[in-house]
């Protein structure tokens, strides 16, 4: 294993990775950094941990869409920085569970807005 220094939202992190895994790690870091910066730049979310949670959900959703394992097919879950489902022609029945999940996240993380 080797140590690699990376930056996500201008903060440095030392991460361990296999000797032949640095390129994959850096690609993953770039994806996380881009997702977090998009959410931050939208201006609606200030707390780093809340930004990280939303970015993680967006990335996880993208991955489940690629492998077809999403419990909400074609829903466009949180594809916009506002956290609202994207307009992909999804049925209202599909969007309602997603909106409930987003509302729960907003409630659980509401105190984080005061951290920064």
């Amino acid at each position: 294993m080797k140590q690699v220094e990376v930056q996500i939202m201008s903060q440095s992190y030392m991460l361990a990775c296999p000797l032949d895994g640095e390129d994959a790690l850096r690609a993953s870091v770039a994806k996380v950094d881009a997702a977090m910066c998009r959410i931050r730049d939208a201006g609606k979310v200030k707390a780093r941990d809340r930004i990280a949670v939303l970015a993680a959900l967006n990335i996880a959703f993208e991955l489940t869409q690629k492998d077809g394992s999403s419990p909400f097919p074609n829903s466009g879950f949180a594809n916009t920085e506002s956290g609202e489902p994207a307009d992909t022609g999804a049925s209202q029945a599909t969007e309602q569970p997603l909106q409930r999940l987003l509302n729960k996240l907003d409630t659980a993380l509401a105190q984080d807005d005061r951290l920064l």
Side-chain angles (χ1 to χ4, degrees):
M1 296 291 271
K2 68 188 248 183
Q3 296 285 321
V4 176
E5 185 174 1
V6 299
Q7 289 206 347
I8 300 173
M9 282 184 37
S10 302
Q11 181 151 353
S12 292
Y13 296 90
M14 287 298 288
L15 304 175
C17 74
L19 295 176
D20 61 348
E22 185 172 348
D23 289 342
L25 175 65
R26 289 195 184 278
S28 297
V29 166
K31 185 173 188 79
V32 169
D33 183 53
M36 289 181 68
C37 287
R38 271 194 313 271
I39 293 166
R40 178 201 61 204
D41 294 345
K44 294 184 179 186
V45 182
K46 304 275 190 253
R48 291 176 83 77
D49 58 341
R50 186 171 177 157
I51 291 170
V53 167
L54 293 172
L57 285 169
N58 282 332
I59 293 167
F61 181 76
E62 288 172 14
L63 292 173
T64 59
Q65 288 297 291
K66 287 179 183 174
D67 70 14
S69 65
S70 174
F72 306 106
N74 302 316
S75 66
F77 175 72
N79 280 342
T80 62
E81 285 76 33
S82 67
E84 297 174 6
D87 184 13
T88 59
S91 71
Q92 188 173 7
T94 302
E95 290 179 7
Q96 288 174 349
L98 296 173
Q99 191 58 49
R100 283 195 303 270
L101 176 61
L102 288 171
N103 290 340
K104 285 182 183 180
L105 279 171
D106 285 340
T107 300
L109 299 171
Q111 302 109 5
D112 293 341
D113 287 339
R114 290 175 255 146
L115 293 177
L116 298 177

